Amino acid sequence: MCGIIGYIGNKKALPIILDGLRRMEYRGYDSAGIAVLERESVFSQKSVGQIGRLQEKLHDADTHGGTIGIGHTRWATHGGVTVENAHPHTDCTGAIWVVHNGIIENERELKDELQSLGHVFRSETDTETLPHLIEEMEKKYPEENLAGHVRRALLRIKGTYGIAVIHASHPDMLIAARNFSPLLLGIGTGEYFIASDASAILAYTDRVIYLDDGELAILTPNTREITNLQNVPSKKDTHTIEWSLEDAGKKEYPHFMLKEIFEEPAAIENSIRGRIIADTGQAKFGGLSEHGKVMQETKRILIVACGTAYFAGRVGEYLIEEYAGIPVEVDIASEFRYRKPVFRQGDVCLVISQSGETADTLAALREAKAKGIPVIGIVNVVGSTIARETDAGIYQHIGPEMGVASTKAFTSQVAILALLTVLLGRSREMSFDTGRRMLQEIEKIPEHMRHTLLQSTHIRHIAKKYQPYRNFLFLGRKYQMPVACEGALKLKEISYVHAEGYGAGELKHGSIAMIDKDFPSICIVLRDSMREKMISNIQEIKARNGPIIAIATEGDSEVASIADDVIFIPETLEALSPMISAVPLQLFAYHFGVLAGCDVDKPRNLAKSVTVE
Ligand code: AGP
């Protein structure tokens, strides 16, 4: 997805916009652009590539003193990565400038209509229909104001948007609107900010208002008006961002991804803080409120998510079924929303999303709610769309996750699912002893993680040894199967090599045909209920000359003797071990990607949160 930012106030807009774009670059980095209103004209500059390229073009930035402007960092959906397709986009007259995050689904129909009216398009993007539509509304309804023209234009749009609009003839107005794509309003003193996420403006204010779908904000330096598209005023609460700008920085780490891997112990501590009742062996979540009872009485849980969050949900399936005895189904959101799920009385839908903005997960949530199913969320970003649309939710409290490859979010989600398992289990058959034991082991996880992180250099050596290989199989069973899939996702998304995660029991049903000396397997073989089976799988692979990297329990010399390379991790309950076994796989992917010269924080073709379908 893309990142948009807007500013109106008493300072020069350009430095603020560039700073915001840099902080949102993780959202999309194909191209970028700005537009600043100066007296009666608009100065604009755009470039392909990362923000640095735009900055090079803006070497004379300080000559542009305009105090109202907009900016955009793009993840291409419609149209190639070119300067012409970079935002902002303008109308025929160069007066109206728009930045947009989302997809206009009826852009073809609109473009044909506008071109038949004489509008000339300069780009291949869907976004460019917006300024021309606003221009057309100006012509048709000259008696109305800019806000009225924007409302009328948006009423013609089918699709998703988060937009900011400036107009050369309105030097004191910035207009923003959202539908499905996240957008927040930052409140300053004599100034307002518009941004796709808080990281872009936290340097200037931590007071924000979250716009809802169908809302429009009309801003001047000292006033704000928020209405719906029928010009009915909306009453909005002001929120305070709970994390600092420093949290969103890299600190002493070379990459966000490494920082966030090393933050995992603290992330788990923050995710479980205040949610363990040790003396009764129970767990609690304030955010569930009366829906906690709904969860405890549920007859079936439908977990829906995408990517890494989906794999965390798969771990949750094993946890909840084994320790709470509740049937669980886990679905990829993009499948759930299009198949015809059969809901039953007593179902609860649990959506998992770090960003809280993933379009497919949001659509799945809305589908479940439309069928009357209670929806609970596990989300990291406070105030995000999914967090606000679920009936109740559990925040992860792990601070911003900036690296495109999700790491601390995964282990935090598993920790929360483990606590949820105790909450559900203890209202059913789970004994006090089992509950207390599980909670005690959960509290030890951060220490186990710190111990595992000490192996980062060792893991880097292994990543270096396996640089020449271009194919990897990740294998695990039971609780480790989702971890194997997550490990494969990590490696392929940041180093672009082929990797597949598999249930090891499936090896002989096809994938073993790929194994030879050039096809290494990463096997998670812990001292757990699946150890013997996993050792057999390793032997099958070795019989075909496949190299083996083993993730094993500390002290397991037998596994060390049959693997080519081994990474030891501390022992914990089998059900909790995904929080530990994921860490070496994250580090392996990180080091492999860095050694391969990849941009591990901003991998090609990806964006941090997929707010388009
Ligand atoms: C994981 O490393 C990827 N960045 C991606 O699969 C991500 O997990 C997925 O898009 C879901 O994002 P969410 O948790 O923000 O919904």
Side-chain angles (χ1 to χ4, degrees):
M1 87 277 138
C2 311
I4 75 168
I5 183 166
Y7 175 77
I8 184 166
N10 42 37
K11 302 188 186 76
K12 281 187 180 179
L14 190 48
I16 292 171
I17 287 165
L18 284 173
D19 177 48
L21 289 179
R22 265 196 311 276
R23 296 182 190 284
M24 283 195 296
E25 198 166 20
Y26 72 101
R27 299 175 61 89
Y29 27 87
D30 293 327
S31 58
I34 58 97
V36 174
L37 186 44
E38 300 178 316
R39 288 178 290 285
E40 291 291 293
S41 70
V42 176
F43 164 74
S44 178
Q45 186 60 269
K46 310 197 271 191
S47 81
V48 296
Q50 300 192 6
I51 305 296
R53 298 274 297 280
L54 176 64
Q55 255 172 314
E56 285 162 17
K57 285 186 156 185
L58 285 167
H59 49 79
D60 63 343
D62 55 6
T63 61
H64 300 288
T67 60
I68 166 175
I70 54 178
H72 184 273
T73 181
R74 184 174 183 237
W75 185 72
T77 54
H78 287 62
V81 180
T82 64
V83 173
E84 293 72 25
N85 289 337
H87 301 207
H89 289 289
T90 188
D91 66 322
C92 301
T93 68
I96 302 165
W97 293 77
V98 177
V99 288
H100 168 230
N101 175 23
I103 289 183
I104 297 175
E105 291 171 0
N106 59 332
E107 55 106 11
R108 188 66 263 157
E109 161 207 332
L110 291 171
K111 201 174 267 190
D112 291 346
E113 179 189 330
L114 290 162
Q115 284 172 323
S116 69
L117 292 167
H119 290 266
V120 177
F121 284 77
R122 303 176 184 85
S123 80
E124 306 161 309
T125 67
D126 54 332
T127 301
E128 196 186 350
T129 54
L130 273 166
H132 290 286
L133 258 182
I134 298 168
E135 180 192 4
E136 198 53 33
M137 296 305 164
E138 266 186 346
K139 290 177 191 165
K140 277 187 182 165
Y141 306 96
E143 74 286 359
E144 291 188 9
N145 61 18
L146 177 57
H149 299 146
V150 173
R151 282 194 199 93
R152 286 183 180 277
L154 293 176
L155 284 167
R156 295 292 312 278
I157 299 295
K158 291 193 188 80
T160 63
Y161 57 79
I163 64 167
V165 182
I166 59 175
H167 192 307
S169 307
H170 297 269
D172 59 350
M173 188 172 282
L174 171 67
I175 290 184
R178 75 154 277 172
N179 192 47
F180 248 93
S181 295
L183 204 59
L184 54 82
L185 170 57
I187 304 166
T189 307
E191 58 187 8
Y192 280 103
F193 307 81
I194 284 291
S196 300
D197 76 43
S199 60
I201 59 167
L202 201 51
Y204 311 98
T205 180
D206 62 2
R207 295 170 56 230
V208 297
I209 288 173
Y210 298 102
L211 291 183
D212 283 307
D213 290 347
E215 288 187 333
L216 185 109
I218 303 109
L219 305 170
T220 71
N222 294 297
T223 64
R224 66 172 182 262
E225 184 192 353
I226 299 174
T227 74
N228 65 12
L229 293 187
Q230 287 69 40
N231 200 12
V232 175
S234 304
K235 181 145 180 29
K236 306 296 289 181
D237 296 332
T238 300
H239 300 263
T240 302
I241 300 297
E242 63 175 22
W243 41 272
S244 70
L245 200 58
E246 207 222 354
D247 292 335
K250 279 192 275 197
K251 295 180 182 166
E252 72 277 12
Y253 293 92
H255 300 101
F256 281 115
M257 184 176 177
L258 189 63
K259 172 193 167 219
E260 286 152 11
I261 292 171
F262 275 79
E263 280 180 340
E264 288 188 277
I268 298 295
E269 286 164 348
N270 290 334
S271 294
I272 66 177
R273 183 170 294 115
R275 293 169 163 171
I276 288 178
I277 313 170
D279 53 9
T280 60
Q282 288 176 308
K284 67 183 168 79
F285 294 102
L288 287 186
S289 58
E290 75 278 4
H291 283 84
K293 201 150 176 41
V294 169
M295 283 298 277
Q296 286 171 327
E297 291 165 2
T298 184
K299 295 185 178 60
R300 181 175 66 150
I301 298 175
L302 307 170
I303 299 178
V304 184
C306 298
T308 291
Y310 164 74
F311 295 132
R314 293 283 306 284
V315 176
E317 176 184 20
Y318 288 101
L319 273 162
I320 294 169
E321 290 195 337
E322 178 169 3
Y323 285 92
I326 301 171
V328 176
E329 280 183 30
V330 191
D331 239 329
I332 296 172
S334 52
E335 289 299 310
F336 178 86
R337 61 180 299 200
Y338 290 115
R339 72 179 177 82
K340 194 174 179 304
V342 178
F343 295 108
R344 294 198 293 257
Q345 186 64 32
D347 281 351
V348 168
C349 182
L350 175 63
V351 292
I352 305 174
S353 175
Q354 186 285 131
S355 65
E357 300 298 347
T358 300
D360 285 319
T361 308
L362 180 57
L365 177 167
R366 290 175 172 172
E367 174 66 15
K369 284 185 77 170
K371 298 288 174 58
I373 303 297
V375 183
I376 308 295
I378 296 177
V379 179
N380 187 38
V381 177
V382 175
S384 57
T385 307
I386 290 174
R388 289 184 292 131
E389 293 203 13
T390 49
D391 295 307
I394 301 167
Y395 277 127
Q396 295 183 239
H397 297 306
I398 60 173
E401 186 178 70
M402 309 296 277
V404 166
S406 198
T407 50
K408 64 178 181 176
F410 174 76
T411 47
S412 157
Q413 287 157 5
V414 173
I416 288 170
L417 286 161
L419 290 179
L420 189 60
T421 300
V422 173
L423 173 86
L424 298 171
R426 293 282 289 124
S427 64
R428 286 173 166 80
E429 304 302 313
M430 185 187 281
S431 70
F432 164 72
D433 273 344
T434 303
R436 186 177 56 174
R437 173 86 199 290
M438 189 169 256
L439 294 174
Q440 286 170 342
E441 286 304 316
I442 290 171
E443 289 186 304
K444 292 177 191 168
I445 292 295
E447 208 37 51
H448 290 329
M449 284 179 154
R450 289 187 181 94
H451 186 73
T452 305
L453 288 166
L454 296 175
Q455 298 200 67
S456 183
T457 304
H458 169 56
I459 294 168
R460 187 175 186 283
H461 291 152
I462 294 173
K464 191 170 178 59
K465 173 180 174 184
Y466 286 84
Q467 280 293 300
Y469 295 95
R470 310 317 297 157
N471 295 286
F472 291 82
L473 203 51
F474 285 71
L475 296 168
R477 285 176 179 254
K478 211 169 156 189
Y479 286 94
Q480 302 307 329
M481 179 182 163
V483 182
C485 296
E486 170 57 14
L489 174 61
K490 285 289 90 59
L491 183 63
K492 58 188 162 188
E493 73 172 325
I494 62 169
S495 56
Y496 319 145
V497 298
H498 168 247
E500 276 185 78
Y502 243 86
E506 275 293 284
L507 200 57
K508 62 181 79 60
H509 297 285
S511 50
I512 199 165
M514 299 188 293
I515 299 298
D516 61 22
K517 64 179 177 47
D518 299 322
F519 206 121
S521 297
I522 296 179
C523 300
I524 309 169
V525 46
L526 306 182
R527 196 175 284 128
D528 63 15
S529 63
M530 291 287 108
R531 180 176 179 275
E532 303 321 314
K533 296 277 185 234
M534 282 303 299
I535 287 178
S536 303
N537 289 131
I538 288 176
Q539 299 296 10
E540 290 159 11
I541 294 168
K542 288 184 70 65
R544 290 151 181 92
N545 304 315
I548 297 280
I549 303 171
I551 311 295
T553 303
E554 277 170 355
D556 194 335
S557 52
E558 182 188 358
V559 170
S561 68
I562 59 175
D564 296 278
D565 294 277
V566 63
I567 301 164
F568 287 115
I569 62 172
E571 189 157 8
T572 183
L573 287 179
E574 178 173 3
L576 304 178
S577 59
M579 287 182 267
I580 309 298
S581 57
V583 175
L585 302 187
Q586 294 166 348
L587 285 170
F588 178 78
Y590 168 78
H591 287 304
F592 194 101
V594 169
L595 289 165
C598 297
D599 183 342
V600 293
D601 281 338
K602 297 194 282 288
R604 70 185 183 195
N605 307 339
L606 291 179
K608 178 59 185 172
S609 167
V610 183
T611 59
V612 294
E613 293 173 21

